[in-house]
């Protein structure tokens, strides 16, 4: 039981309109069951999702569906938001690293659709059933540092659904559903990502997670806010509660001595 | 640029007092720069961290340092807590899967110390500089499913600190600090974990992250609550704010018409 992860070098600079499937196929042989993990940045570049850096704050506002939390710090304000793609991330995923001077990149409009198009292209060019994950780097509550997650997926089972199966001692695994798409994105970051500048990795030996192109995408990983215990930052929720409690007490009027 | 991940089979059932270093060395050859990822469950078993299942709720309470959030559901109450190890997890990491009938497992008392002891044992037995990560499976805010994280580490750089370096286009990477220990734990879960019952994986080819045994452990990944925007569930923070606001309005007394 094992697999390998390899960074794909020599892709060159990706431009608006670049054919990612052809470029990747030209740089690395792909086999049945391979999973190609692509940094969202080059997908955004190929889709022309670039805006002037001077418009960064406006771009973050435009990409924001819901502010989850924010905090002021000496350098400005960090806004953690749910963006149009449904992903909760700092700055709505608007990215200034590894971009042309004076520009920032927005995330792909629909990362699952981008993943499907790329997977279809790779399958057509190679004749092999390969999967695609589009990854992005995000921070997380409770733990320092960042990890890569899957923001788009096609032809890959994003979860290994163990609910209803039993463990090695025969007990039912009631709630266990490993998010393999996020784990594969994390595994791929170790050879690509910001440090190496390598934007693509090929994961070989996990073909059991590869499937049809109409499998649910990475959007299915996102927990709806109404079911999320952490749908709002603690300070924001406290402030909202404070105002509600204050208003409620005032509406009730003064306590009578017998209350 | 690449690496491999291999599950280690044939370890047999781990008992209290089992010598994990000797058992692992007997099952797989280890080379310079290898990282051995061990499911916390077998570390707990070897350390005798087992209690009767009937004491599960009490065990969760005992392991809890701080309740972060809780929610009632048809099957009972989910408590998300910070446990003695500083990890925020459901049920304080108390685990009922893959355990002997009628028992549950607690996490190791000090996972970083367990990792150091195991790394020292492996280095002594093999003469090779290997790293150790102890992993556990956790849920997370905003995203469905679970991923494995590093709860203990020794001889491994838990972060790749890119702060102060520049990206491929020469711009400084101000806040980028990938949590490689969590990413390696996630990568290892894909061949081990609850599904396969394989408790150990060897990661080969990431020797650049292997270092001295006195490197900071996985505890350094935990963000202190006071710096965490999500240190408390949204409902709990709202309720606390509500009570404070209500009390404040009452203390102020009735508004005069001129207020």
């Amino acid at each position: 039981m094992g697999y390998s992860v390899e960074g794909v070098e020599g892709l060159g600079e990706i431009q608006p309109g670049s054919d990612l499937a052809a470029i990747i196929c030209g740089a690395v042989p792909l086999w049945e069951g391979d999973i190609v993990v692509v940094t969202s940045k080059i997908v955004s570049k190929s889709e022309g999702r670039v805006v002037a850096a001077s418009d960064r704050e406006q771009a973050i506002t435009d990409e924001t569906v819901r502010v989850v939390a924010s905090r002021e710090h000496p350098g400005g304000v960090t806004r953690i938001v749910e963006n149009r793609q449904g992903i909760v991330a700092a700055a709505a995923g608007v990215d200034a690293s590894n971009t042309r001077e004076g520009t920032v990149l927005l995330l792909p409009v629909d990362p699952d659709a981008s993943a499907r198009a790329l997977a279809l292209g790779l399958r057509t060019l190679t004749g092999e059933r390969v999967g695609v994950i589009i990854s992005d780097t995000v921070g997380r509550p409770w733990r320092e540092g960042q990890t890569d997650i899957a923001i788009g997926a096609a032809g890959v089972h994003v979860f290994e659904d163990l609910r209803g199966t039993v463990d090695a001692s025969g007990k039912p695994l009631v709630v266990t559903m490993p998010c393999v798409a996020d784990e594969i994105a994390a595994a791929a970051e170790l050879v690509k990502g910001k440090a190496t500048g390598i934007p693509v990795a090929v994961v070989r030996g996990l073909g059991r997670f590869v499937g049809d192109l109409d499998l649910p995408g990475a959007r299915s990983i996102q927990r709806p806010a109404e079911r999320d215990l952490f749908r709002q930052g603690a300070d924001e929720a406290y402030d909202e509660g404070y105002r509600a409690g204050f208003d409620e007490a005032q509406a009730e009027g003064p306590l009578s001595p017998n209350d």
Side-chain angles (χ1 to χ4, degrees), chain A:
Chain A
M1 196 103 178
Y3 71 97
S4 68
V5 185
E6 254 179 81
V8 179
E9 301 185 72
L11 295 179
E13 185 64 25
I14 305 299
Q15 308 288 347
S18 288
D19 182 345
L20 283 185
I23 290 169
I24 291 169
C25 284
V28 63
L30 292 176
W31 299 317
E32 189 75 13
D34 284 354
I35 300 171
V36 178
V37 186
V38 182
T39 304
S40 65
K41 191 180 305 282
I42 66 166
V43 179
S44 294
K45 284 183 180 178
S46 76
E47 295 179 358
R49 295 276 291 158
V50 60
V51 297
S54 54
D55 299 332
R56 180 168 184 271
E57 289 304 312
Q58 186 60 44
I60 294 172
T61 301
D62 292 344
E63 293 296 302
T64 296
V65 170
R66 179 173 70 90
V67 176
V68 174
S70 61
R71 179 171 281 179
E72 290 184 40
H73 54 81
V77 177
T78 298
R79 279 186 276 173
I80 315 245
V81 307
E82 179 182 327
N83 64 18
R84 289 172 183 276
Q85 292 77 11
I87 300 152
V88 179
V94 175
D95 191 355
S97 68
N98 278 309
T99 56
R100 223 176 47 248
E101 190 59 36
T103 64
V104 296
L105 279 175
L106 312 182
L107 290 178
V109 172
D110 180 347
D112 281 331
S114 302
R116 264 195 310 278
L118 179 54
L120 181 61
L122 293 172
R123 288 180 182 201
T124 304
L125 286 170
T126 63
E128 307 281 2
R129 202 166 74 142
V130 300
V132 167
I133 287 173
I134 297 176
S135 65
D136 198 23
T137 304
V138 294
R140 56 264 170 92
W142 314 332
R143 296 178 76 74
E144 302 285 1
Q146 301 90 37
T147 59
D148 270 24
I149 59 167
I151 66 163
V156 176
H157 293 268
V158 297
F159 297 110
E160 182 165 30
D161 197 344
L162 303 174
R163 294 172 301 177
T165 64
V166 296
D167 67 19
S169 67
K171 270 182 279 191
L173 289 165
V174 184
V175 294
T176 305
M177 200 172 71
C179 184
V180 293
D182 281 350
E183 294 187 322
I184 292 168
E189 199 281 328
L190 292 161
V191 299
K192 61 180 190 61
K194 290 191 190 338
T196 61
I198 296 175
V200 174
V202 176
V203 178
R204 295 213 158 98
L206 295 180
R208 71 183 187 281
F209 298 127
V210 174
D212 293 338
L213 289 185
D214 59 359
L215 284 169
R219 188 115 200 174
S220 65
I221 304 171
Q222 295 156 17
R223 181 176 295 140
E226 62 272 18
R227 296 207 298 112
D228 198 315
L229 300 180
F230 301 92
R231 64 192 172 279
Q232 194 176 29
D235 289 339
E236 285 75 9
Y238 182 96
D239 290 348
E240 210 175 290
Y242 188 97
R243 283 191 300 273
F246 195 93
D247 291 350
E248 176 67 23
Q250 286 205 328
E252 281 188 9
L255 288 176
S256 81
N258 297 328
D259 269 353

